[in-house]
Amino acid sequence: MRNPAFPASPTFETNRSGELEVFVQVAEHGSFSAAARHLGVSPSATSKIVARMEARLGAQLLLRSTRRVQLTPEGRQLYERGQRVLADLQEAEAAASLRSTPKGVVRINSSSSTGQAILVPLVGRLMQQYPGLVLDLSFTDEVVDLMEARADIAIRWGKLPASDMVARLLGHTRQVIVAAPAYLDAHGVPTHPDMLGGHVRIGWNYQRTVPHWPFRLAGQDVEVAIGELLRVNDGDVMRNLAVEGVGLARLSLFHAWHDIAAGRLQVVLEAFNTGVLEPIHAVYLGKPERLPSRTRAVLDFLKAHVDLGHAETLPKQWCRG
């Protein structure tokens, strides 16, 4: 018996989401019969459902021919919005299910040094927490286009350019100039940026980079041309060259932390450090509310577990000169 609180009406007798799914499938397959096979119903049932939608909306959604159906302008509008509605419904149902766990491939892009220092230590815990995930990690110091690389997430440090990417802040890092103790013993400790000319400077060979190091001189921040004598395209290579005593390098503190703590590198010219903290973000494309659960799970995990507090300050005993 019908509940009197809900009087008979088209609203309560119609499965709107089911109708919408039928319409979307007909639009995507281009025929009622193909959509019917996909849905496991009869072609006449799909035709009747779409006709009922058109009658209720008072608009023609499809142009029918003996071979194919095509969307009208009104049908195109409903199709595009319907796709989003069905995706949101599927995501909401998955989130509401206690049995639902993030599954599938998540592609993460990062520079080599950032990936080694931030991602690698967390991969085991991430996979243990979400055993349904498949992680695809790509480490390169070239800045890639997320869409072209088919990356779901990228880890980027530094100021982000204006783009369609959405960013989640993971933390900050200080930049420091370092060298191996053996190098400083052999070539002397620079005590002023003016003394850089007497040292081997290791820099980047990217076209996007500027061969300058920032310093604070007489209360003002200035860019000092370093005229690198050695250029590389990989952060870990730069750090290893510095550890081997080749020359001076400017590195993120989170990247050089373990070498500094172990005494393999020492910090110089810290009295002239600008103190600017570089942000580190996890970035992605798309709207936050429409992210796949697998991507959102990884982003939430990184936000909760990446700890960069140590990369913001520098113990004085690690400085030389």
Side-chain angles (χ1 to χ4, degrees):
M1 183 175 180
R2 185 180 301 277
N3 188 331
F6 296 99
S9 70
T11 299
F12 292 105
E13 292 178 351
T14 300
N15 180 352
R16 297 289 181 87
S17 63
E19 284 189 349
L20 188 58
E21 184 175 5
V22 169
F23 170 72
V24 167
Q25 290 300 325
V26 171
E28 291 184 347
H29 286 83
S31 77
F32 288 102
S33 58
R37 286 194 298 271
H38 178 81
L39 294 168
V41 298
S42 68
S44 61
T46 61
S47 180
K48 289 178 181 178
I49 288 172
V50 174
R52 187 165 63 217
M53 292 178 68
E54 291 177 322
R56 186 176 68 251
L57 298 174
Q60 186 173 2
L61 303 176
L62 297 171
L63 297 174
R64 298 155 174 84
S65 69
T66 56
R67 291 187 175 183
R68 187 171 177 82
V69 296
Q70 291 182 311
L71 291 167
T72 65
E74 293 78 13
R76 170 64 60 182
Q77 185 179 46
L78 180 62
Y79 168 68
E80 292 176 350
R81 293 187 177 182
Q83 281 184 310
R84 296 196 293 269
V85 169
L86 292 174
D88 288 345
L89 180 60
Q90 184 178 18
E91 184 73 17
E93 289 178 343
S97 173
L98 295 177
R99 299 185 301 274
S100 176
T101 57
K103 296 179 181 179
V105 178
V106 179
R107 296 176 175 86
I108 307 176
N109 175 269
S110 171
S111 70
S112 178
S113 56
T114 303
Q116 293 282 359
I118 292 180
L119 291 178
V120 170
L122 295 177
V123 166
R125 294 168 62 187
L126 176 59
M127 296 187 73
Q128 184 177 17
Q129 183 166 333
Y130 299 109
L133 292 182
V134 176
L135 298 182
D136 186 329
L137 307 180
S138 295
F139 294 167
T140 172
D141 280 1
E142 294 286 350
V143 177
V144 302
D145 182 286
L146 267 69
M147 188 168 294
E148 289 183 2
R150 297 193 306 143
D152 300 296
I153 302 170
I155 310 299
R156 302 265 172 88
W157 65 267
K159 185 178 180 180
L160 295 174
S163 70
D164 295 330
M165 296 186 299
V166 182
R168 278 201 190 184
L169 182 65
L170 300 179
H172 295 85
T173 185
R174 187 184 186 90
Q175 299 285 309
V176 291
I177 298 174
V178 296
Y183 173 88
L184 297 174
D185 292 340
H187 297 85
V189 178
T191 57
H192 193 277
D194 290 343
M195 300 174 66
L196 287 174
H199 290 270
V200 176
R201 288 86 62 197
I202 309 172
W204 302 103
N205 60 13
Y206 301 127
Q207 292 183 353
R208 72 178 187 272
T209 57
V210 179
H212 294 79
W213 286 349
F215 292 100
R216 180 160 294 169
L217 299 174
Q220 293 186 335
D221 292 347
V222 298
E223 299 282 340
V224 176
I226 62 170
E228 312 101 318
L229 298 181
L230 179 60
R231 297 173 183 172
V232 299
N233 68 346
D234 183 280
D236 284 326
V237 171
M238 180 180 289
R239 178 180 57 81
N240 289 331
L241 286 170
V243 170
E244 291 297 322
V246 174
L248 303 175
R250 185 172 184 264
L251 300 172
S252 297
L253 188 51
F254 79 85
H255 185 200
W257 178 269
H258 293 294
D259 290 313
I260 299 173
R264 292 184 292 268
L265 290 174
Q266 293 180 327
V267 179
V268 298
L269 297 172
E270 187 61 13
F272 302 94
N273 195 314
T274 63
V276 173
L277 297 177
E278 299 279 358
I280 299 178
H281 294 95
V283 300
Y284 58 93
L285 293 171
K287 296 184 178 181
E289 64 272 16
R290 295 199 173 100
L291 278 177
S293 60
R294 60 184 183 276
T295 306
R296 183 180 294 112
V298 174
L299 287 167
D300 291 344
F301 181 91
L302 293 176
K303 180 65 177 177
H305 293 90
V306 171
D307 182 8
L308 292 170
H310 65 281
E312 298 183 10
T313 58
L314 183 70
K316 290 184 177 179
Q317 64 267 27
W318 289 0
C319 303
R320 184 167 175 180

